[in-house]
Amino acid sequence: MKNRANLALLCGMAVLTALPAQAQSHGLIQAERSYQDVDFPATHLQALRALQAGGATRSETARLYVLLGISAAALDNAEEAKQDFVVALAANPELKLESSLSPKLRSPYLEAQGYWSAASARLSITAKLGTDATHLIVRLVDPASLVTKVELQTAAPGATPRASFELVAAPVTRFPLPRSVRDRDYEYALRALDGYGNVLAEYGADADPILVRQPLTRAPTASSARAVAPRRSYFWPVTLGVMGFSALAGGVVFNVKRERAAHEWNGPGCETAGLSRLDQCAAVSHRVQTDERLSVAFYAGGGALLTAGVIALFAGGSHEATPLRTGLVSCAVSGPGVSCLSQF
């Protein structure tokens, strides 16, 4: 009996070195007391009940599986003890047992260490924001298939309680972020849970969640103002085109008048005997010359205006916008108009 008590004392000292200084759940406290009393059946039962109750933190989960493994080994169930230590080491890879423990208790622990040494990866969960900034890409590495579900909690920075979402335990999960957090800063925490809801791995924590900050909204720069505001101006091409066609129309009118005056000049009214045609129809001759000059002038002017309109359309139809900025309003002068871009 004395040897058994000494063994329990050594076991208790060894495992307690791995236990962090924090408040423990009621079930864990009961399992610890039974372990200190060298009551391995009670230790095994109470540790199992505490795990089945769920809600254990990562450190509590590791501790409960350690107690479960030690008590299983003490009760001659080495295979169960190994599986318990596999879970304990998954939750806490830094877990150590005293080398002074009996081989019966250490053997399953060493086998579990060997399992993880041979594994290609350790249990882990991570996440990153997708390129579209509306999805969270969650990656789960679970070589031993210990995780049953993944819990995501998210909220505005410092807000409580956080909204909770249950994700499948898949290697990659693309989770659409709630609209309430997409356009502002938010924080989140991920927890990989066993079948009872105990934490096996986490990314972020309740006390230290992952913070995501949205890019600051900036006033448009000169280059961005030019990218938004430049518009091709058709004011001068249209104006010159209208003036050109009007001038051509004027040329047609004066050409028609010249034709009429020329017809009158060649008519019988200017052929009275004894007088020259110029003496008889000097006014008609004057009209012919005047209308001809005006017709040529209007034709030339119309052609020049149309040419200038075409040049303005292809060479000078668009004008570089000059940014004008006042507060949160960015305006740009483009041709004869002004376009503005507001930010709120």
Side-chain angles (χ1 to χ4, degrees):
M1 186 69 180
K2 183 177 181 181
N3 291 334
R4 188 179 180 187
N6 291 336
L7 177 60
L9 179 60
L10 288 174
C11 292
M13 293 176 61
V15 182
L16 284 173
T17 58
L19 183 63
Q22 65 172 18
Q24 301 173 25
S25 66
H26 179 66
L28 177 56
I29 293 175
Q30 286 185 320
E32 289 285 2
R33 287 175 178 171
S34 296
Y35 179 72
Q36 295 302 317
D37 292 337
V38 200
D39 190 346
F40 291 115
T43 301
H44 190 274
L45 179 61
Q46 289 164 358
L48 182 59
R49 285 178 176 175
L51 286 169
Q52 291 173 341
T57 64
R58 185 176 181 180
S59 59
E60 289 174 346
T61 299
R63 174 60 176 169
L64 285 168
Y65 275 104
V66 165
L67 291 175
L68 204 60
I70 291 178
S71 58
L75 296 172
D76 298 320
N77 195 338
E79 186 59 32
E80 180 192 340
K82 174 187 173 182
Q83 295 302 320
D84 293 334
F85 282 121
V86 165
V87 182
L89 286 167
N92 180 15
E94 304 301 322
L95 177 66
K96 302 293 182 183
L97 292 183
E98 279 289 340
S99 58
S100 58
L101 292 179
S102 68
K104 181 179 179 179
L105 299 180
R106 284 186 55 81
S107 181
Y109 166 76
L110 295 176
E111 290 183 23
Q113 275 194 323
Y115 170 85
W116 283 115
S117 297
S120 58
R122 300 301 295 253
L123 174 64
S124 66
I125 186 168
T126 58
K128 69 175 183 178
L129 191 63
T131 55
D132 59 359
T134 63
H135 288 78
L136 199 63
I137 311 301
V138 180
R139 298 185 182 277
L140 172 67
V141 180
D142 186 15
S145 300
L146 302 175
V147 179
T148 301
K149 60 183 177 181
V150 174
E151 183 184 66
L152 169 66
Q153 294 183 344
T154 181
T160 55
R162 300 187 183 99
S164 181
F165 304 90
E166 184 175 317
L167 285 60
V168 296
V172 179
T173 302
R174 185 178 173 87
F175 175 75
L177 290 166
R179 293 185 179 275
S180 58
V181 301
R182 288 185 185 178
D183 300 325
R184 61 182 182 182
D185 296 349
Y186 64 92
E187 60 188 21
Y188 69 91
L190 280 167
R191 304 195 305 173
L193 308 177
D194 66 7
Y196 301 116
N198 303 299
V199 180
L200 294 172
E202 55 191 351
Y203 185 68
D206 289 340
D208 187 23
I210 306 299
L211 177 63
V212 178
R213 294 193 179 277
Q214 298 293 346
L216 295 176
T217 303
R218 299 177 181 177
T221 61
S223 60
S224 64
R226 283 197 296 270
V228 173
R231 296 180 181 177
R232 179 171 290 273
S233 173
Y234 295 98
F235 176 78
W236 288 114
V238 170
T239 301
L240 292 172
V242 171
M243 293 174 63
F245 280 111
S246 298
L248 291 178
V252 171
V253 170
F254 283 108
N255 187 56
V256 170
K257 292 176 65 177
R258 184 194 67 79
E259 291 290 340
R260 289 176 180 175
H263 181 74
E264 184 179 352
W265 170 263
N266 294 319
C270 297
E271 295 179 349
T272 303
L275 295 174
S276 66
R277 187 181 296 276
L278 182 61
D279 291 336
Q280 296 178 59
C281 297
V284 176
S285 175
H286 179 71
R287 291 205 314 272
V288 171
Q289 295 176 7
T290 300
D291 290 342
E292 183 176 8
R293 294 190 187 98
L294 290 174
S295 176
V296 171
F298 272 91
Y299 278 139
L305 289 171
L306 288 177
T307 301
V310 172
I311 293 174
L313 177 63
F314 291 102
S318 63
H319 302 274
E320 181 133 334
T322 302
L324 302 175
R325 195 178 303 152
T326 304
L328 295 178
V329 180
S330 176
C331 298
V333 179
S334 179
V338 177
S339 61
C340 294
L341 176 67
S342 300
Q343 290 189 344
F344 299 92

